[in-house]
C-alpha cells in the first residue's frame, strides 16, 4: 500500500530538497513499492528515469527540477503526472537576458576584446522593436524588466492570448512577418520538435542586418552553423548566447570566433540559485500531492513543456 507522505529523491539527493519535502508535509524515503512520488534530479540520464518508472508502476507523480523537459520525451509517455520547474527560474534568466541585450546594444563583445579606441557605436533599447519568442514565466518577467524602455514588444507564442506588458501577442504563424521589424530578438521558448533549429538561415535572412539575437532558452533552437554564417556575413549584427548547440561548446569551435558573438556558459541561473528556487516548487507540489494546494508547473506531454 502506498504511504501518501513518502517521497523519493533519485538518483542523487540534496539536503535542500529533503528539507523542502518535509516543509511541504512529506517524508523523504527510499524508492519502494510504498512510495508514490518521486523527485528526479539528473538531466543527463533520462533513460534511467524511464527504467525506474517501468519497475515502479505505483508512482503517480514525478517532479523534475528543470524548466525544459525536452530530454524526457520518452518518460513523459508514462501514465504519471509530471511537473517541471517552469517559471521557477524566471527572475535570474530574465535578468540575464536583459544583461546580454544591453551588452550587445553597447557593443561590449567588440569592446572587451579591443586594444584600440575604435568606432563610436551604440544601440538603445528605448523605443526599439523587440521580439520575444515564448510566452512563459521568463517572458513575463522580462516584460516587467523591459517596461522602462518604452519598447514596442511583440511576443510570439503557441497561444496568442495577450500578455501584460507586450505591445502585441501573436501566434507562431506570424513569426516570419514579425522578424522583419525586430531590432532585438530574444529566444525564451521551450525546445520542442517545432522549435528545434527554428532559427536557421531562412529566419536569419528575414532579420535586419542591424538586428541582434539573444538566446536564453535551449541551444538547439538555433542552427549553429547558420548562425555562424549569419554573423560572419553581416546578415545580423550580433548574438549573445547563454545556451549553445553543442553544449558545452568545445574549445576551438567556430562559434567562439564568430563576429560580434557573446557567449556565457549556461549561467543565467547557477546551481545555488536553482537549489534555492526549486525548493520552493517542491514545497508547493508536495502540498498539492497531499491534497493541500494546487499543482504548479504541470507538464503537457503533447506540447512538450
Amino acid at each position: 500500500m502506498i504511504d501518501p507522505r513518502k517521497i523519493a529523491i533519485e538518483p542523487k539527493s540534496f539536503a535542500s530538497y529533503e528539507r523542502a519535502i518535509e516543509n511541504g508535509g512529506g517524508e523523504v524515503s527510499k524508492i519502494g513499492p510504498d512510495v508514490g512520488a518521486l523527485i528526479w534530479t539528473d538531466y543527463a540520464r533520462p533513460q534511467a528515469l524511464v527504467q525506474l518508472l517501468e519497475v515502479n508502476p505505483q508512482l503517480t507523480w514525478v517532479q523534475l527540477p528543470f524548466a525544459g523537459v525536452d530530454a524526457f520525451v520518452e518518460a513523459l509517455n508514462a501514465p504519471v503526472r509530471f511537473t517541471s520547474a517552469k517559471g521557477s527560474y524566471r527572475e535570474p534568466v530574465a535578468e540575464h537576458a536583459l544583461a546580454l541585450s544591453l551588452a550587445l546594444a553597447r557593443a561590449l563583445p567588440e569592446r572587451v576584446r579591443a586594444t584600440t579606441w575604435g568606432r563610436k557605436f551604440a544601440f538603445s533599447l528605448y523605443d526599439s522593436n523587440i521580439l520575444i519568442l515564448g510566452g512563459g514565466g521568463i517572458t513575463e518577467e522580462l516584460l516587467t524588466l523591459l517596461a522602462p524602455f518604452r519598447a514596442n514588444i511583440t511576443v510570439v507564442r503557441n497561444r496568442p492570448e495577450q500578455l501584460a506588458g507586450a505591445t502585441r501577442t501573436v501566434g507562431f504563424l506570424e513569426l516570419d512577418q514579425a522578424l522583419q521589424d525586430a531590432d532585438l530578438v530574444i529566444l525564451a521558448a521551450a525546445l520542442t520538435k517545432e522549435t528545434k533549429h527554428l532559427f536557421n538561415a531562412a529566419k536569419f535572412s528575414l532579420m535586419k542586418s542591424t538586428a541582434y539575437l539573444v538566446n536564453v532558452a535551449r541551444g538547439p533552437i538555433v542552427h549553429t552553423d547558420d548562425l555562424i554564417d549569419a554573423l560572419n556575413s553581416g546578415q545580423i549584427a550580433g548574438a549573445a548566447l547563454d545556451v549553445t548547440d553543442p553544449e558545452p561548446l568545445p574549445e576551438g569551435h567556430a562559434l567562439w570566433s564568430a563576429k560580434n558573438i557573446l557567449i556565457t556558459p549556461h549561467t543565467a541561473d547557477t546551481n545555488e540559485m536553482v537549489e534555492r528556487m526549486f525548493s520552493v516548487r517542491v514545497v508547493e507540489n508536495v502540498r498539492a500531492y497531499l491534497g493541500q494546494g494546487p499543482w504548479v508547473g504541470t507538464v503537457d506531454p503533447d506540447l512538450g513543456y
Side-chain angles (χ1 to χ4, degrees):
M1 180 180 293
I2 292 177
D3 184 333
R5 294 185 67 248
K6 288 186 175 182
I7 300 170
I9 304 176
E10 295 287 346
K12 180 181 178 181
S13 188
F14 295 82
S16 56
Y17 300 165
E18 294 175 3
R19 288 193 298 270
I21 288 174
E22 293 167 356
N23 290 339
E27 175 185 325
V28 180
S29 177
K30 293 289 185 182
I31 193 72
D34 59 341
V35 176
L38 169 70
I39 297 173
W40 183 259
T41 58
D42 195 338
Y43 185 85
R45 297 175 59 197
Q47 193 58 39
L49 175 58
V50 172
Q51 294 168 356
L52 187 147
L53 288 170
E54 288 175 350
V55 298
N56 288 277
Q58 81 284 356
L59 289 171
T60 61
W61 166 49
V62 174
Q63 173 71 59
L64 299 171
F66 323 104
V69 296
D70 44 280
F72 296 91
V73 173
E74 184 178 352
L76 294 179
N77 291 324
V80 174
R81 177 189 293 274
F82 282 90
T83 53
S84 73
K86 57 183 175 181
S88 291
Y89 316 130
R90 56 191 287 163
E91 292 180 349
V93 177
E95 178 184 29
H96 200 75
L98 178 59
L100 294 179
S101 300
L102 289 169
L104 288 176
R106 296 293 163 166
L108 294 189
E110 173 186 338
R111 296 318 307 163
V112 296
R113 298 179 176 92
T115 57
T116 60
W117 191 246
R119 63 182 179 130
K120 290 187 176 181
F121 170 82
F123 161 68
S124 177
L125 296 188
Y126 282 94
D127 302 309
S128 64
N129 295 322
I130 299 176
L131 184 152
I132 306 175
L133 180 73
I138 294 170
T139 295
E140 291 175 348
E141 193 68 29
L142 192 52
L143 288 170
T144 300
L145 296 180
L146 289 170
F149 292 96
R150 300 188 305 266
N152 300 304
I153 303 176
T154 297
V155 173
V156 180
R157 63 186 303 203
N158 266 332
R159 300 181 302 277
E161 291 90 349
Q162 182 67 21
L163 279 179
T167 307
R168 63 181 183 136
T169 306
V170 301
F172 267 74
L173 292 179
E174 298 183 61
L175 172 60
D176 286 2
Q177 181 62 45
L179 275 175
Q180 299 176 46
D181 299 320
D183 299 307
L184 170 66
V185 177
I186 302 175
L187 306 184
L191 177 61
T192 65
K193 60 183 179 181
E194 289 78 21
T195 62
K196 184 175 182 179
H197 290 169
L198 178 64
F199 273 74
N200 54 19
K203 290 293 186 287
F204 295 132
S205 72
L206 297 173
M207 294 171 63
K208 298 188 293 186
S209 61
T210 54
Y212 297 94
L213 177 75
V214 171
N215 188 4
V216 292
R218 283 288 189 264
I221 293 177
V222 176
H223 191 290
T224 300
D225 289 344
D226 288 357
L227 174 60
I228 294 170
D229 290 342
L231 290 168
N232 290 340
S233 68
Q235 179 71 59
I236 63 174
L241 313 174
D242 188 53
V243 289
T244 60
D245 182 25
E247 189 175 307
L249 192 64
E251 183 177 347
H253 193 285
L255 187 58
W256 286 114
S257 55
K259 291 182 179 179
N260 279 342
I261 188 72
L262 175 60
I263 301 171
T264 55
H266 209 144
T267 49
D269 46 11
T270 64
N271 289 340
E272 293 78 11
M273 295 176 190
V274 166
E275 279 200 41
R276 174 173 54 83
M277 292 179 289
F278 180 62
S279 293
V280 175
R281 178 61 52 88
V282 171
V283 172
E284 293 172 327
N285 280 339
V286 167
R287 289 173 178 166
Y289 177 66
L290 297 175
Q292 299 170 4
W295 292 99
V296 185
T298 298
V299 174
D300 184 329
D302 294 329
L303 292 176
Y305 57 85

